[in-house]
Amino acid sequence: MSRPSFPFAAVVGQEQLKLALLLNAVDPSVGGVLMRGEKGSGKSTLARSLARLLGSRAPFVELPVGSSVERLVGTLEVAGADQEVRFEPGVLAAVHGGVLYVDQINRLPDHLVDVLLDVAGSGINQLEGRGIVHSHPSRFVLIGSMNPDDGELRPQLFDRIGLSVDVRAPTDPAERAEVVTRRMAFDADQARFLASWSAADEELAMKLGDARPASLPPELVRMVANLCVRMGAEGLRGDLTVCRAAAALAGWERRRVAGVDDVRRVAPLALAHRCRRSPFEAPGIDQDELDRAVREGAASVPPPVEPPAPPPAKPKRAMEPSAAAAPAPVEPAVPVLSSKPRPAARGQAAASLFVLAVDASSSAGAERRMEAAKGAVVGLLSDAYQRHHLIALVTFRGFAAEVILRPTSSVEVARARLTRLPTGGKTPLAEGIAAALRIATLPGRAQTHRPLLVLVSDGRATHANDGSDPLAAAMGAAGLVRAKGVAAVVLDPGNGTNRHAAPRQLVEAMGGRYELLAEVSARELEQAVRQAATVLDGSP
């Protein structure tokens, strides 16, 4: 069982290192992060914490210094009478969608570092042998750490690593005391400490989920080229890295066009290890010289002009009854229960955030529900990028809810996260609703995406973490959905046979919409969500 990682938001100080890691998470083609510093300065803690931000399913893989090429890239074998080609995956397959951490990277053989940097830059691992070519996606954040006292990387490898940060333990006594205090609190009660920082980490994770690199004006690219020449960066990798990192920084800060200030902030990270005058000179950069060069270059770059925002959507309608969505009247009950329409605030964004919360407990049909959920998520993502929609997936089972997929518009990210969805245990329905609501209502999200909470459940609850009646706890969580004005729909996987009142009670508490699924399949679930979106804003 993997140990819990320290929350990223709880790490004290190390702002430059945090920024470098986040920029690589926004765009792994930045080329990775090299952390240079003495032991005990928090390097591995932040590396693990970044993987936690990428999602509970994002792998964190450590590559031992003594690894072989085969262990890293995998192997191709031709076996059997039919000469079938078999691919045995290696580390680069296992780390897809996550973080690859190499401690003491300066002791790793040069040819392995070359392979790592090639794949980190391209996002593809390709094997060739016996006339056979096999490739697979391998997008990950590469993080290497080293103690300079143990020797440096050779200059050619230094140049191929995207960003470099000198990591030192804080010298301010108050800051050191805060580091120790938080670490002791984490070690004493990990569950409580993680819970106290969960909202801050979730906010960072949500921001990462929809961050995209910004565009680069031609004048800014020319400024970067002049800057790299003036600072003595050989080759073109420095230019590329500064441009990619500046675009990632602007995207991280939710700007669509990068500017001079972005270049100024990332240039020290991208150029410090590329501007050595001799192999015996320690990595570093003259900050005053860099500032002068940036100021002089800024005169040729016009201020960035953000593209006009998309026109505001028409006011959101409440989730109203729909004849097409109503199940057959098998009993004298109202198929859709809703409160009075809740007018939405004017000027809300047209894009939507669909948060699916799916029951993964040991109730009948759990495996089928998980397969349907995976297929529906991939189907919804097929056009999410063009429409700027985001999809998130929460499952609940046993004693807790788990955020399987943080908000994203990437099919590739979803496939990497949804490889296996475990089932079984009790039904903590209240925790599932609460987790989905937290994702739907994180600060800043309401201005960019309208949330729709989609609960896939038969409404039965068998566990509540606070020890109260499980159904009462679920009804309380459902009431919070209504109180926060989040549109909701309950999709009942009863396969046409469910006549229990529980899901309809949840709908009434949420002030949302109810639908009894005709069958539990990816196609049916996807269509139900799209229908709910139609009711939400009048467009599929």
Side-chain angles (χ1 to χ4, degrees):
M1 182 177 179
S2 60
R3 59 180 178 178
S5 58
F6 197 83
F8 191 93
V11 175
V12 178
Q14 306 294 3
E15 298 306 320
Q16 286 292 86
L17 178 53
K18 289 179 181 177
L19 177 62
L21 294 172
L22 290 169
L23 296 184
N24 274 270
V26 173
D27 182 7
S29 69
V30 168
V33 181
L34 177 64
M35 305 185 293
R36 304 174 72 255
E38 68 271 14
K39 294 180 179 178
S41 52
K43 299 188 298 295
S44 62
T45 295
L46 268 171
R48 290 180 178 276
S49 298
L50 181 68
R52 187 171 187 265
L53 280 190
L54 296 178
S56 58
R57 298 282 160 177
F60 177 86
V61 180
E62 292 191 59
L63 182 69
V65 172
S67 297
S68 65
V69 174
E70 290 76 16
R71 180 176 182 183
L72 179 64
V73 303
T75 57
L76 288 175
E77 296 181 357
V78 179
D82 57 356
Q83 295 293 286
E84 180 185 1
V85 179
R86 296 177 182 173
F87 169 59
E88 186 66 30
V91 167
L92 292 176
V95 78
H96 179 52
V99 172
L100 180 58
Y101 178 58
V102 186
D103 193 16
Q104 298 180 323
I105 193 172
N106 50 329
R107 295 186 175 182
L108 198 68
D110 289 349
H111 65 283
L112 287 185
V113 179
D114 277 328
V115 172
L116 278 178
L117 294 172
D118 282 341
V119 178
S122 67
I124 299 293
N125 179 37
Q126 181 167 300
L127 293 79
E128 298 183 18
R130 300 183 184 181
I132 303 167
V133 178
H134 176 82
S135 64
H136 65 81
S138 182
R139 287 180 59 83
F140 56 89
V141 178
L142 173 62
I143 305 174
S145 65
M146 57 176 282
N147 187 339
D149 294 339
D150 296 334
E152 293 282 6
L153 285 170
R154 61 183 174 92
Q156 294 90 335
L157 294 178
F158 241 143
D159 180 53
R160 297 191 62 198
I161 294 179
L163 306 178
S164 175
V165 184
D166 286 334
V167 185
R168 298 182 178 88
T171 56
D172 177 64
E175 190 171 334
R176 293 172 73 97
E178 183 63 22
V179 172
V180 173
T181 299
R182 292 187 187 183
R183 185 72 218 191
M184 291 177 67
F186 175 74
D187 293 339
D189 191 338
Q190 290 183 354
R192 183 176 181 180
F193 190 84
L194 291 173
S196 67
W197 286 94
S198 63
D201 257 15
E202 280 289 346
E203 185 172 356
L204 288 174
M206 291 280 286
K207 192 174 174 182
L208 269 182
D210 61 349
R212 296 291 182 272
S215 62
L216 293 162
E219 299 87 353
L220 190 67
V221 176
R222 286 194 289 269
M223 176 202 159
V224 170
N226 289 329
L227 176 66
C228 290
V229 170
R230 177 164 174 175
M231 299 306 297
E234 298 180 356
L236 291 173
R237 287 198 179 98
D239 306 54
L240 282 169
T241 303
V242 172
C243 286
R244 286 169 174 163
L249 175 56
W252 166 247
E253 295 184 345
R254 294 184 176 175
R255 288 178 282 111
R256 287 178 283 178
V257 181
V260 171
D261 189 59
D262 298 306
V263 171
R264 179 188 62 78
R265 291 165 63 186
V266 303
L269 303 173
L271 298 182
H273 57 298
R274 292 185 166 93
C275 295
R276 291 189 293 180
R277 306 305 193 260
S278 74
F280 301 101
E281 184 179 351
I285 197 168
D286 186 326
Q287 187 63 47
D288 291 337
E289 182 182 356
L290 176 66
D291 290 340
R292 284 194 299 272
V294 171
R295 284 196 300 270
E296 294 171 9
S300 63
V301 182
V305 178
E306 289 287 310
K314 58 185 178 181
K316 183 175 95 176
R317 298 200 303 268
M319 302 299 288
E320 299 169 345
S322 168
V330 295
E331 60 179 349
V334 180
V336 179
L337 302 173
S338 64
S339 63
K340 295 181 180 179
R342 301 187 304 272
R346 293 184 180 273
Q348 284 186 324
S352 296
L353 165 62
F354 302 123
V355 185
L356 277 68
V358 184
D359 180 3
S361 67
S362 58
S363 56
E367 293 289 345
R368 191 165 66 252
R369 284 197 302 276
M370 292 301 99
E371 288 303 313
K374 287 194 289 186
V377 167
V378 172
L380 290 168
L381 286 169
S382 62
D383 61 355
Y385 185 79
Q386 289 81 2
R387 296 174 179 265
H388 305 290
H389 295 331
L390 297 175
I391 316 296
L393 176 64
V394 173
T395 64
F396 50 95
R397 67 186 184 97
F399 305 104
E402 182 179 9
V403 181
I404 302 296
L405 181 69
R406 300 185 190 279
T408 184
S409 60
S410 170
V411 174
E412 181 180 315
V413 169
R415 284 177 174 154
R417 300 287 192 273
L418 303 180
T419 53
R420 181 174 176 270
L421 299 179
T423 61
K426 296 185 177 182
T427 309
L429 181 55
E431 282 67 32
I433 297 172
L437 183 59
R438 283 195 297 271
I439 291 178
T441 57
L442 278 175
R445 181 66 61 190
Q447 302 305 315
T448 59
H449 291 81
R450 294 177 305 183
L452 172 64
L453 194 158
V454 181
L455 177 64
V456 183
S457 168
D458 61 7
R460 302 181 190 182
T462 60
H463 173 77
N465 282 349
D466 61 4
S468 64
D469 176 73
L471 182 57
M475 296 295 291
L480 288 177
V481 175
R482 182 173 187 171
K484 289 183 178 292
V486 174
V489 58
V490 176
L491 303 181
D492 185 351
N495 199 26
T497 62
N498 195 327
R499 289 174 171 77
H500 295 281
R504 294 183 174 84
Q505 293 172 352
L506 284 173
V507 169
E508 186 172 23
M510 290 179 176
R513 177 170 175 264
Y514 171 86
E515 182 172 344
L516 180 62
L517 296 176
E519 62 177 0
V520 181
S521 68
R523 180 175 179 274
E524 184 74 12
L525 184 53
E526 179 186 346
Q527 287 184 342
V529 175
R530 290 187 183 276
Q531 172 65 25
T534 302
V535 176
L536 178 65
D537 64 4
S539 62

